């Protein structure tokens, strides 16, 4: 109940902060386009913030960043973007690795507290440890921004989960229909790679994937939808997909979508190992596995979250908070579908191949889904991290 009360309070704060958001040396969190601010602007933000909240350890701010896991591509890209912005702002970045593990995240939080950091950016996946980790920072008044998985008392930054999921699911449906035919798709099996350990937020994404797919595929059999627990890793996704592929009859379409690109790739690897790649089509989430997206014929698209740009938001959010400026309780990434036809726009090292597929996000269907989603009991207390439209 206390957890829900805090999140309900965050919803009220979101409405208030929206009313008082302002431009702070080029950063307005409600209108920000995601492009990195100039070094001059970032240094000016840090200098102004230091007048309001002096650095604990002297003249330079120290910001703690606890990464989700430092050796997965998404975490690598997020870390590089944060480091780039921290360097440009002239602040010290202390980095820890949460290793996808709650107790490790708690140990890292205690280390940050002992080192007297001025602000913390948390990227940790175990929702059961959110309150415990936040209690460490609450004790000395350190402000926190949580990436992708909310933590009570922290501002939230990350994926617009319902929309990114719906986008990916609807894209998968339309691409599968083009490849296999509308009638054949209805004989196929949809496999969703979920992440139950992280609670409501990733469920928003995978439920959005399911809803987006079904919005574009009427009369799809409910018993042809299989959900597996990916544990957020390629290896576990491979193992779990390998366990369920025997339930899918030979010759029918195998339609894959998951919580992130790594899980999608693991599922695809299992399908290939079973000799059924010609029956598969997949859509990722994150678009951080650019090489696979550019070269894998079965991975037709990914909903882009652009983790390399996360730091462009996160360091300005931290400096705004330290300067006493109001920031929203929730700030969302702007998503786009990344395909082989447009990948060169996002990753210049890969050529664009083929023509645009004409996909159009189903706005009307999503609006209806979002309105219904806001009525669901399992989302009570999480209103602050639901998009408004």
């Amino acid at each position: 109940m206390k957890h829900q009360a805090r999140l309900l309070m965050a919803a009220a704060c979101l409405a208030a902060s929206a009313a008082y958001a302002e431009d702070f040396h080029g950063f307005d969190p409600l209108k920000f386009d995601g492009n990195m601010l100039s070094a001059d602007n970032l240094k000016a933000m840090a200098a102004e913030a230091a007048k309001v909240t002096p650095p604990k350890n002297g003249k330079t701010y120290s910001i703690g960043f606890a990464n989700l896991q430092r050796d997965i591509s998404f975490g690598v890209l997020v870390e590089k973007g944060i480091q780039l912005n921290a360097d440009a702002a002239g602040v010290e970045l202390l980095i820890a690795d949460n290793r996808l593990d709650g107790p490790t995240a708690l140990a890292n939080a205690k280390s940050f507290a002992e080192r007297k950091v001025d602000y913390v950016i948390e990227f940790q996946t175990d929702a059961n440890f959110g309150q415990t980790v936040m209690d460490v920072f609450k004790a000395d008044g350190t402000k926190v921004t949580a990436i992708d998985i909310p933590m009570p008392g922290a501002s939230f930054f990350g994926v617009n989960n319902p929309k990114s999921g719906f986008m990916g699911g609807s894209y998968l449906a339309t691409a599968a229909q083009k490849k296999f035919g509308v009638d054949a798709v209805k004989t196929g099996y949809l496999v969703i790679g979920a992440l139950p350990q992280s609670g409501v937020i990733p469920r928003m994404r995978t439920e959005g994937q399911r809803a987006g797919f079904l919005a574009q595929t009427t009369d799809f059999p409910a018993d042809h939808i299989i959900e597996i627990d990916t544990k957020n890793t390629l290896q576990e996704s491979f193992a779990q997909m390998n366990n369920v592929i025997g339930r899918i009859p030979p010759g029918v379409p195998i339609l894959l979508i998951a919580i992130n690109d790594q899980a999608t790739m693991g599922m695809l690897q299992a399908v290939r190992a079973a000799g059924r790649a010609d029956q598969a089509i997949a859509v990722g989430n994150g678009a951080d596995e650019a090489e696979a997206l550019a070269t894998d014929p079965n991975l037709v698209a990914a909903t882009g979250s652009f983790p390399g740009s996360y730091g462009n938001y996160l360091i300005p959010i931290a400096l705004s908070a330290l300067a006493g400026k109001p920031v929203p309780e929730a700030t969302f990434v702007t998503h786009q579908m990344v395909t082989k036809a447009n990948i060169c726009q996002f990753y210049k090292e890969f050529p664009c191949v083929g023509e645009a597929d004409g996909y159009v996000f189903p706005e009307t269907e999503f609006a209806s889904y979002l309105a219904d989603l806001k009525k669901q009991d399992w989302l009570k207390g999480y209103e602050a991290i639901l998009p408004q439209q």
Side-chain angles (χ1 to χ4, degrees):
M1 292 299 292
K2 290 182 179 178
H3 176 66
Q4 287 195 353
R6 288 187 180 95
L7 285 167
L8 284 169
M9 186 177 294
C13 291
L14 174 62
S17 62
Y20 296 105
E22 60 184 82
D23 185 288
F24 179 46
H25 296 287
F27 181 66
D28 180 343
L30 298 179
K31 300 176 182 177
F32 190 54
D33 62 8
N35 291 314
M36 184 175 170
L37 298 174
S38 70
D40 287 343
N41 280 14
L42 289 166
K43 285 184 171 66
M45 294 173 79
E48 186 169 337
K51 296 175 183 177
V52 178
T53 308
K56 294 177 183 177
N57 292 322
K59 296 181 179 180
T60 303
Y61 277 131
S62 176
I63 294 178
F65 169 50
N67 203 341
L68 179 71
Q69 182 168 321
R70 297 189 72 187
D71 58 0
I72 61 174
S73 58
F74 198 97
V76 168
L77 290 169
V78 171
E79 184 174 313
K80 284 182 177 178
I82 295 174
Q83 184 72 68
L84 185 65
N85 278 265
D87 290 345
V91 303
E92 181 184 17
L93 187 68
L94 303 179
I95 302 172
D97 191 339
N98 283 336
R99 303 297 304 172
L100 301 172
D101 179 67
T104 301
L106 179 58
N108 288 334
K110 291 178 179 178
S111 175
F112 283 153
E114 290 170 359
R115 297 164 80 177
K116 298 187 183 304
V117 299
D118 297 287
Y119 198 93
V120 172
I121 300 168
E122 272 287 345
F123 198 1
Q124 79 93 17
T125 189
D126 193 335
N128 293 322
F129 274 79
Q131 182 64 68
T132 308
V133 169
M134 285 302 298
D135 285 344
V136 173
F137 301 126
K138 183 180 179 182
D140 63 1
T142 302
K143 293 181 179 179
V144 180
T145 296
I147 301 175
D148 283 345
I149 306 297
M151 300 169 69
S155 64
F156 173 86
F157 170 78
V159 172
N160 183 334
N161 284 285
K163 189 168 187 176
S164 70
F166 200 92
M167 188 178 291
S170 61
Y171 189 98
L172 176 62
T174 56
Q177 289 163 6
K178 288 179 181 178
K179 179 174 181 176
F180 300 112
V182 174
D183 292 337
V185 166
K186 294 179 183 179
T187 70
Y189 280 69
L190 173 65
V191 186
I192 302 172
L195 183 63
Q197 77 182 61
S198 292
V200 167
I201 306 310
R203 183 180 171 187
M204 287 185 192
R205 190 181 309 175
T206 50
E207 287 298 311
Q209 290 170 341
R210 182 195 305 262
F213 180 86
L214 294 176
Q216 303 295 99
T217 313
T218 57
D219 302 323
F220 190 82
D223 60 352
H224 284 208
I225 302 176
I226 300 171
E227 186 170 300
I228 62 173
D229 181 359
T230 69
K231 298 289 192 299
N232 212 36
T233 70
L234 185 151
Q235 295 80 4
E236 187 67 18
S237 302
F238 175 89
Q240 294 304 319
M241 186 70 207
N242 192 54
N243 288 342
V244 303
I245 196 167
R247 293 163 52 184
I248 302 175
V252 304
I254 302 172
L255 316 167
L256 305 175
I257 197 164
I259 190 71
N260 61 23
D261 285 353
Q262 293 74 36
T264 307
M265 290 169 61
M267 293 159 69
L268 266 176
Q269 287 183 11
V271 172
R272 287 198 181 91
R276 301 181 65 175
D278 60 330
Q279 302 157 29
I281 187 170
V283 168
N285 192 291
D288 48 293
E289 293 287 353
E291 183 175 0
L293 186 54
T295 60
D296 190 327
N298 298 107
L299 183 62
V300 296
T303 307
S305 299
F306 313 111
S309 72
Y310 275 27
N312 300 349
Y313 297 83
L314 287 161
I315 294 299
I317 287 172
L319 294 174
S320 296
L322 289 167
K325 304 294 183 182
V327 296
E329 289 296 314
T331 304
F332 298 110
V333 176
T334 299
H335 301 283
Q336 296 183 56
M337 291 307 303
V338 182
T339 69
K340 290 175 175 60
N342 69 6
I343 191 169
C344 61
Q345 298 174 25
F346 309 102
Y347 299 98
K348 294 181 180 179
E349 64 269 34
F350 298 106
C352 290
V353 178
E355 297 181 357
D357 51 32
Y359 169 79
V360 177
F361 180 70
E363 295 282 359
T364 302
E365 290 84 351
F366 176 67
S368 176
Y369 169 68
L370 185 60
D372 182 66
L373 187 65
K374 291 178 178 179
K375 301 174 186 176
Q376 300 300 311
D377 288 340
W378 60 275
L379 279 170
K380 294 294 185 183
Y382 289 86
E383 290 84 352
I385 48 176
L386 278 173
Q388 298 306 302
Q389 59 185 23

